[in-house]
Amino acid sequence: MAEHWFISGANRGIGHGLARRLAERGDDVTASVRSEEARERLAAEVARHRARFSIVVFDVRDEAAIRAAADEVVAPLDVLVCNAGAYGPQRQSSLDMDFAGALDLFSVNTLGPLRLVQALLPALRLARNPRVVVVSSGIGSMSAAGSGNIAYRASKAAVNKIVQGLATDLEREGIVVVALSPGWVRTDMGGENAEISVEESARGSIATIDALTASDTGRFLDYRNKSVPW
Ligand SMILES: NC(=O)c1ccc[n+]([C@@H]2O[C@H](COP(=O)([O-])OP(=O)(O)OC[C@H]3O[C@@H](n4cnc5c(N)ncnc54)[C@H](OP(=O)(O)O)[C@@H]3O)[C@@H](O)[C@H]2O)c1
């Protein structure tokens, strides 16, 4: 049965792959992009799915813009995928940090998903089987000892804590909340040497999300439906 999915950051990369695949299999998709220009480009690309594909425009750092866009989102919303994210400033080692850049990154990667969840909760509450998926990263895991790009890693470790909090607070309402590692994917962020294609990540992530049940809430899963250590 067709479901209504919301994908943030859908103009390129993993979000684009998810939105395209979902539209092709007949789900209803609301996609977010950051500019009018990106909206027009995506709208032209998905013109043949027009009846089932809506596009809203906001930056995940802008709470007022997210709330205004949320008013346009048709309820019920079955699945919210908080995918939009950034890698952060050039200078982000634990010994030499661009602090302003790191703070901005936290606003995108850590608080961006929370702004989206809070704005879209009324639409999620009207769904039969609502799910929230926050795209995190295996390199944000506390068990991954690497220190490169520490601002990015820390922003994802912090969003994992937010996922845990949301899962606890929304459990009694039956809203499933998980963190998802999409794999190392060939996108602008992942680079051309990454392990898997956008299509493989999107296919696996969608299958993982399709299979979620109430007992999965609060878990950290990857695109192959395997547990990732926190
Ligand atoms: N690629 C990987 O190997 C990998 C691995 C682990 C986790 N991830 C995570 O997967 C997600 C998608 O990554 P990707 O590889 O697809 O990255 P990407 O190709 O760089 O695409 C990032 C997407 O996020 C959007 N975005 C960035 N900052 C935003 C903001 N402030 N407000 C709204 N949208 C914003 C971008 O929009 P614009 O085009 O407007 O910039 C774009 O649509 C991210 O959360 C990333 O951390 C990726």
Side-chain angles (χ1 to χ4, degrees):
M1 200 183 66
E3 292 192 302
H4 180 197
W5 294 58
F6 188 105
I7 313 288
S8 67
N11 54 307
R12 61 189 172 100
I14 295 167
H16 181 257
L18 290 170
R20 199 177 49 193
R21 192 168 177 85
L22 289 164
E24 275 163 10
R25 79 171 188 179
D27 283 293
D28 296 317
V29 177
T30 303
S32 85
V33 299
R34 257 210 285 195
S35 66
E36 271 307 318
E37 194 191 330
R39 192 189 64 75
E40 277 166 29
R41 243 184 294 121
L42 185 58
E45 189 191 324
V46 299
R48 69 199 160 94
H49 303 297
R50 198 190 319 255
R52 321 196 72 133
F53 205 106
S54 312
I55 306 173
V56 293
V57 181
F58 57 75
D59 187 302
V60 296
R61 291 169 294 191
D62 186 342
E63 186 191 346
I66 292 174
R67 294 222 174 245
D71 289 342
E72 293 174 39
V73 174
V74 176
L77 178 64
D78 298 290
V79 185
L80 165 60
V81 182
C82 303
N83 162 80
Y87 213 58
Q90 281 284 327
R91 205 158 47 79
Q92 55 164 303
S93 96
S94 58
L95 304 178
D96 180 22
M97 179 61 70
D98 170 350
F99 287 100
L103 257 185
D104 189 57
L105 181 64
F106 270 71
S107 186
V108 176
N109 285 2
T110 308
L111 298 178
L114 189 55
R115 291 186 190 98
L116 265 177
V117 173
Q118 291 190 356
L120 289 168
L121 259 181
L124 285 161
R125 284 185 170 124
L126 295 174
R128 213 174 31 83
N129 177 23
R131 283 144 285 164
V132 172
V133 177
V134 175
V135 180
S136 183
S137 170
I139 69 169
S141 165
M142 295 303 284
S143 326
S147 67
N149 297 299
I150 197 69
Y152 177 80
R153 289 173 188 265
S155 73
K156 293 297 190 179
V159 85
N160 284 352
K161 193 66 201 173
I162 282 178
V163 165
Q164 211 179 49
L166 282 169
T168 302
D169 292 340
L170 294 174
E171 189 169 14
R172 66 183 158 273
E173 296 189 54
I175 301 178
V176 170
V177 188
V178 297
L180 179 83
S181 163
W184 184 21
V185 191
R186 290 188 288 277
T187 63
D188 292 338
M189 187 187 295
E192 59 192 24
N193 295 324
E195 285 167 355
I196 58 172
S197 65
V198 164
E199 290 68 30
E200 185 174 357
S201 175
R203 192 175 347 107
S205 297
I206 290 168
T208 300
I209 298 166
D210 281 340
L212 288 175
T213 66
S215 64
D216 290 315
T217 202
R219 291 183 69 194
F220 187 7
L221 296 165
D222 75 4
Y223 71 102
R224 295 160 304 188
N225 205 359
K226 296 217 166 69
S227 277
V228 182
W230 289 109

